[in-house]
Amino acid sequence: MASLLYRLGRFAYDRRWLVIALWLVIIAAVGGSAAAFHGTTTNTFQIPGTETQRMLDKLKADLPSAAGGNATLVFESPDAPFTDAQKKQLSAALEKIKGLDGVQSVTDPFATQAQLDSASAQIADGEKQLAAAQAQLDAGKPQLDAAKAQLDQTKAQLDAGQAQLDAQKQALAAQGMSAAAIAQATASAQAQLDAGRAQYDAGKAQYDAGAKKAADGAATIAQKKQELALGQRQADASAGLRFVSSDHRAAIAPVQFTKSTDSLPTSLRTQIQDIASSVDGVQGHASKELTQDINQIFGAGETIGVTVAALVLVVMLGAFVAAGLPLVMALVGVAVGVGGTIALTGVIEMSSVTPMLGLMLGLAVGIDYSLFILNRHRNQLLGGMDPRQSVALAIGTSGTAVVFAGLTVVIALVALVVPGLPFLAVMGVAAAATVAVAVIIAVTLLPALLSLVGKHIISKRRWAKAARENTQPGHGVVEAREDLAKSNRGWGAWLTRHPWIAVVASVILLGVLTLPASQLHLALPDGGADPVDSTSFKAYDATGKYFGAGMTGPIVVVGELPAGLDDAAAKVKQLDVADQLRAVPGVVAAVPLALSPDHHTAVFRVIPTEGPASASTVQVVHDLRSQGSAIQSRTGVSIGLTGQTAANVDVTSKIADALPVYLAIVVGLSFLLLLLVFRSLLVPILATAGFLLSLGAAFGSVVAVYQWGWLGPVFDITHPGPILSFMPILLIGILFGLAMDYQVFITSGIRESYAHGQEAHLAIRTGFHHAARVITAAAIIMVSVFAGFIFSHLTMVRPLGFGLALGVLLDAFVVRMTLVPAIMRLFGKAAWWLPRWLDRILPDLDIEGAKLERATAAPHGAHVDGGGQPEPAADSVR
């Protein structure tokens, strides 16, 4: 590896314009692709194959109007209740918003609240009217019964008279009287009977009409009673739901869109917010879904972080050219890595954190990797080495350490595919690609630019000092003695003299910081995590204050109704399910929202007691799912949960389950890599154990600050809450990779001294002395870059930036530069012990570059090239 990189560095040095041109082409191609093909990022986290996703897909198929994104507008009049004029203006404004392209519907809070408020009165009035109608019906029933009895009696009399007359006619016929005579003799009696029959028929018709009217009235009363019962059940289901506060100082207007909120154009977001804030005397606040700007990835905090890194580089390197090179390398890496990520947003759904994570890592490792190589090159130049040879050798030695350090980061990030969450896998692969680009740039573009700047990489003052030192007699011996003397002073020397104190103090410090980690509570962020002066926080706060925190995170329940139901039966089923949902502990209201045209799919909005990130709401989600079979057995309706609140619970649970497996894979693979690099059993074990200590301390500190609120004013945390659910797995992956970076850098220095023949304890001192300055600068730079994200405009990135900044700080200075060297001092030579059988089968990667340096050392009388410089005898590494 070292020989290959040596040749690569020399090629880049000799073919600098070709290498620079290739990178310029790559930057132009990536930039053009990002501009032409970029899409939008998302803050909606879904898990394919879960109930949440299945129910969302069902809504898209059966009820497309209910499948779009949702947001909330909150109107507040803190000084006085809304006036009638303000209500009219707000209703007109909402009607205007409803007419915007992309808006599915808008709920007018005043009209809706008026309906809710009048529901009880309407039901009571209806009950009174039904009671009066029933009383009237009951009062007319005796008359109908008497009329029927009289009709029955008249009919019986008529039937009896007719029978008697018919018998008389038969008797006259038996006496031989003709039919005409019989008819004449009975005509009068028959006429009387017919007249009576006609009178009866008229009475019967009158009675039938009255009876029908009474029956129709009874049917109407029964129908009205059923409607009132349904209305009462609907009112009961909505009892805990309000759209205008009881003091009439706040109103909430849900807005539904035709597409997801993440795909809303900025122009629509701006229009809605402008219209919502156009009413005089009323404060209009838009919820997080409308206000979050997830397409901007670089803000003021990040700029400050990079500025601090630049200052550290200037102070360390003492020359603006030298300080600028690592920054240029980092920016090129970010341009290519993050630009490529943005170009793919048009075809791959990505979280808004994805490009931000690439930016964060690209800046940090891009600066550090280049600095590590640059520092080696500067030292070699000051020692009198030819620039061409120095660049190639720096790439072959320090570049090898950079490659393996970068490989550990890439392994940790690519392993994010393990949890099976697409958004997390994309995030990890994209960030890994950015880190890989940073490594490639460090070993190709950096040597090409170093060939251009030449000796300007070192300040004139430093060159003058080196010239004076190099002209002194016996300079080499003096320099070696001074180097040894310096290594016997300072922190590294103290560690080797007092290793037990260093070990015990480090473990105690990290252990104490780890204690809060046992209280870690994970969730996805809501508006309460935003800055207090933001519109989204004001909307969240006003909603909780006036309507209850549960209104900030409703749970969407989808019901599958039995086939063949008519409209009335389907509505009854909806209310049956709503009653069951409302009976779940922690549920304030369960309101039927929509019903598909085929009466097969119903949608319910369930309002929990607390906000979406609270532990009680998570429990409500679990309880609703556990009650699904019972609800189906009682109502015949199967239910499933969807919406952002349910999806957040799924994501959090899935990540928590995957953490142990992910940690085992990352640690296992990196252990093998470190075993190959350092050919030692203790060093990989120390590296892993130290990482676990720094990781625990980072977790504990994040919990104390962002969950408990310690030092809240310092970090702009006014409402502490749960930690971003995928922050731990990102922190594990990124911090492990970066911890291994510093492990590789400092241990390679110690290994190099040991490989060059020094005793184990002296190798720790000299290796520490040579590596400490650059590692200190690199750690400060990385901490500065990460710390810049603590005040990012994307609030979900802030705890990650804090955790990474503190984690790197602790890992670099407490673990890698204190604990590890101290323990290695206690083990002495045994720190480099490796079983013989394992030593034979492991390839020798020569990360410290000892073999390369011997192979490339210029012998006495070496060939001099046309430029008057000695040509290195490097044919052996060709």
Side-chain angles (χ1 to χ4, degrees):
M1 175 64 76
S3 299
L4 176 64
L5 290 176
Y6 175 89
R7 292 194 296 269
L8 179 62
R10 193 170 56 184
F11 173 85
Y13 188 97
D14 294 338
R15 305 288 189 274
R16 51 186 173 271
W17 291 116
L18 173 62
V19 173
I20 294 171
L22 286 174
W23 277 110
L24 289 175
V25 170
I26 292 172
I27 293 172
V30 170
S33 299
F37 306 117
H38 74 279
T40 58
T41 54
T42 177
N43 275 338
T44 301
F45 307 101
Q46 297 290 353
I47 311 174
T50 61
E51 174 189 284
T52 302
Q53 190 62 46
R54 289 198 306 273
M55 292 299 103
L56 182 60
D57 294 340
K58 181 176 179 59
L59 279 185
K60 289 179 179 178
D62 297 348
L63 266 172
S65 61
N70 294 277
T72 302
L73 297 174
V74 183
F75 302 101
E76 187 178 8
S77 176
D79 299 328
F82 293 115
T83 64
D84 291 338
Q86 288 174 333
K87 292 179 182 179
K88 290 180 180 179
Q89 291 179 46
L90 285 173
S91 296
L94 293 174
E95 193 65 28
K96 189 175 180 180
I97 292 174
K98 185 178 180 180
L100 297 176
D101 185 28
V103 177
Q104 178 75 32
S105 63
V106 180
T107 299
D108 186 329
F110 303 106
T112 305
Q113 189 62 54
Q115 292 177 357
L116 292 175
D117 292 341
S118 64
S120 297
Q122 290 177 351
I123 291 172
D125 184 61
E127 289 176 345
K128 289 181 181 179
Q129 293 179 9
L130 285 180
Q134 186 66 52
Q136 184 178 1
L137 186 64
D138 293 342
K141 191 173 184 302
Q143 296 177 357
L144 281 176
D145 292 342
K148 186 174 187 306
Q150 185 176 357
L151 285 172
D152 292 341
Q153 181 180 2
T154 300
K155 185 175 183 301
Q157 291 175 353
L158 288 173
D159 291 342
Q162 186 65 53
Q164 183 178 0
L165 184 58
D166 291 342
Q168 183 181 354
K169 289 180 180 179
Q170 291 177 357
L172 291 175
Q175 293 175 5
M177 187 177 290
S178 64
I182 292 173
Q184 185 176 5
T186 59
S188 176
Q190 186 63 54
Q192 290 179 355
L193 286 172
D194 290 343
R197 181 72 67 184
Q199 188 176 1
Y200 167 80
D201 290 340
K204 180 68 166 57
Q206 185 177 1
Y207 167 79
D208 288 343
K212 184 177 183 305
K213 183 177 180 181
D216 290 344
T220 301
I221 291 173
Q223 181 180 356
K224 293 295 184 183
K225 284 183 177 180
Q226 184 179 8
E227 292 175 357
L228 282 177
L230 290 175
Q232 184 63 59
R233 294 181 67 185
Q234 182 76 33
D236 293 340
S238 307
L241 191 65
R242 290 193 66 86
F243 291 88
V244 178
S245 62
S246 56
D247 60 2
H248 295 274
R249 293 175 183 265
I252 184 169
V255 182
Q256 186 167 23
F257 302 96
T258 56
K259 299 178 180 179
S260 68
T261 52
D262 294 315
S263 61
L264 297 179
T266 303
S267 57
L268 179 58
R269 296 172 184 267
T270 304
Q271 277 184 290
I272 292 175
Q273 295 180 65
D274 289 345
I275 295 173
S277 59
S278 62
V279 178
D280 294 335
V282 176
Q283 299 175 5
H285 311 306
S287 66
K288 187 184 185 81
E289 295 83 3
L290 276 172
T291 60
Q292 60 188 1
D293 182 5
I294 60 178
N295 293 312
Q296 180 185 353
I297 65 172
F298 206 86
E302 294 85 341
T303 303
I304 294 173
V306 174
T307 302
V308 172
L311 293 176
V312 173
L313 287 171
V314 172
V315 171
M316 177 191 174
L317 300 175
F320 285 104
V321 173
L325 275 178
L327 287 174
V328 171
M329 298 301 98
L331 293 175
V332 171
V334 165
V336 175
V338 178
T341 300
I342 293 174
L344 292 174
T345 56
V347 293
I348 300 175
E349 185 176 283
M350 292 187 190
S351 163
S352 60
V353 181
T354 301
M356 180 67 78
L357 182 61
L359 174 67
M360 185 187 300
L361 282 174
L363 288 174
V365 302
I367 294 174
D368 274 10
Y369 292 167
S370 298
L371 175 62
F372 195 64
I373 295 172
L374 184 63
N375 183 68
R376 177 101 181 201
H377 172 57
R378 280 166 49 88
N379 290 336
Q380 291 172 167
L381 287 180
L382 291 171
M385 187 176 289
D386 169 64
R388 179 172 181 267
Q389 170 71 355
S390 177
V391 168
L393 190 60
I395 298 298
T397 53
S398 296
T400 303
V402 165
V403 169
F404 282 99
L407 189 56
T408 60
V409 181
V410 170
I411 289 174
L413 291 171
V414 172
L416 287 173
V417 302
V418 171
L421 301 175
F423 77 88
L424 197 59
V426 170
M427 194 183 300
V429 172
T434 303
V435 172
V437 168
V439 172
I440 296 171
I441 286 173
V443 297
T444 58
L445 182 59
L446 179 60
L449 291 179
L450 286 175
S451 71
L452 287 179
V453 299
K455 295 185 177 182
H456 296 292
I457 198 73
I458 300 173
S459 65
K460 293 180 179 180
R461 180 184 302 175
R462 187 68 185 88
W463 272 123
K465 180 181 178 182
R468 290 193 302 270
E469 293 173 347
N470 291 336
T471 56
Q472 294 178 358
H475 167 66
V477 176
V478 173
E479 184 180 30
R481 289 176 179 174
E482 290 181 352
D483 188 62
L484 181 61
K486 289 179 181 178
S487 67
N488 287 326
R489 299 192 299 269
W491 184 245
W494 186 91
L495 290 175
T496 57
R497 294 191 188 101
H498 309 284
W500 280 112
I501 296 177
V503 170
V504 173
S506 300
V507 171
I508 290 176
L509 172 63
L510 296 174
V512 170
L513 291 176
T514 301
L515 291 177
S518 61
Q519 303 298 317
L520 180 65
H521 176 207
L522 301 177
L524 285 175
D526 52 31
D530 290 349
V532 292
D533 58 346
S534 66
T535 300
S536 54
F537 176 83
K538 292 176 181 178
Y540 179 90
D541 187 56
T543 301
K545 176 182 177 182
Y546 290 103
F547 304 100
M551 285 290 284
T552 62
I555 302 168
V556 179
V557 177
V558 181
E560 298 184 53
L561 278 60
L565 297 178
D566 59 16
D567 189 62
K571 289 181 179 178
V572 171
K573 283 290 185 186
Q574 274 187 293
L575 291 170
D576 290 342
V577 174
D579 292 341
Q580 297 292 323
L581 296 175
R582 198 168 64 257
V584 174
V587 173
V588 174
V591 186
L593 280 186
L595 185 65
S596 63
D598 61 0
H599 302 146
H600 188 55
T601 302
V603 183
F604 305 84
R605 174 181 291 171
V606 176
I607 308 298
T609 305
E610 297 186 284
S614 68
S616 66
T617 300
V618 174
Q619 187 60 46
V620 168
V621 171
H622 292 317
D623 290 345
L624 287 171
R625 284 174 169 162
S626 65
Q627 289 293 315
S629 57
I631 292 175
Q632 185 173 12
S633 65
R634 293 170 190 154
T635 65
V637 178
S638 62
I639 66 167
L641 274 58
T642 189
Q644 196 58 47
T645 300
N648 292 355
V649 173
D650 289 343
V651 169
T652 302
S653 176
K654 185 82 170 179
I655 291 176
D657 293 341
L659 271 176
V661 178
Y662 173 75
L663 185 59
I665 291 175
V666 169
V667 171
L669 290 176
S670 296
F671 178 87
L672 293 177
L673 182 63
L674 291 175
L675 185 65
L676 286 171
V677 170
F678 294 114
R679 307 182 68 79
S680 161
L681 286 180
L682 179 66
V683 170
I685 293 173
L686 278 180
T688 303
F691 159 71
L692 293 176
L693 285 173
S694 56
L695 177 67
F699 276 166
S701 302
V702 168
V703 169
V705 172
Y706 288 89
Q707 188 173 312
W708 294 354
W710 292 6
L711 301 177
V714 176
F715 297 102
D716 192 23
I717 305 166
T718 54
H719 286 72
I723 305 303
L724 179 67
S725 59
F726 53 85
M727 191 278 290
I729 201 166
L730 288 178
L731 187 60
I732 289 173
I734 299 170
L735 186 57
F736 187 83
L738 300 178
M740 295 309 103
D741 281 2
Y742 293 119
Q743 181 72 34
V744 168
F745 293 157
I746 194 165
T747 313
S748 62
I750 298 173
R751 173 73 178 175
E752 181 176 357
S753 298
Y754 181 76
H756 288 171
Q758 286 191 350
E759 294 292 334
H761 70 284
L762 291 177
I764 294 173
R765 291 185 183 183
T766 56
F768 187 96
H769 168 66
H770 291 155
R773 186 167 180 263
V774 67
I775 291 178
T776 299
I780 293 174
I781 289 168
M782 194 168 286
V783 169
S784 301
V785 172
F786 288 148
F789 291 84
I790 295 175
F791 301 96
S792 171
H793 65 289
L794 287 179
T795 53
M796 70 171 64
V797 175
R798 294 183 177 188
L800 180 60
F802 175 84
L804 287 173
L806 184 64
V808 168
L809 185 70
L810 294 173
D811 195 86
F813 294 107
V814 179
V815 175
R816 309 303 155 190
M817 297 180 68
T818 302
L819 183 61
V820 169
I823 294 178
M824 290 181 69
R825 172 66 182 89
L826 292 174
F827 276 85
K829 188 176 180 180
W832 303 108
W833 177 79
L834 190 69
R836 290 183 179 180
W837 63 269
L838 188 56
D839 183 63
R840 287 194 300 269
I841 63 176
L842 289 179
D844 189 356
L845 301 178
D846 188 31
I847 188 173
E848 68 280 352
K851 294 180 180 179
L852 178 64
E853 287 184 334
R854 289 193 296 270
T856 58
H860 180 72
H863 170 70
V864 178
D865 65 11
Q869 298 295 335
E871 178 74 9
D875 292 340
S876 60
V877 298
R878 289 185 185 275

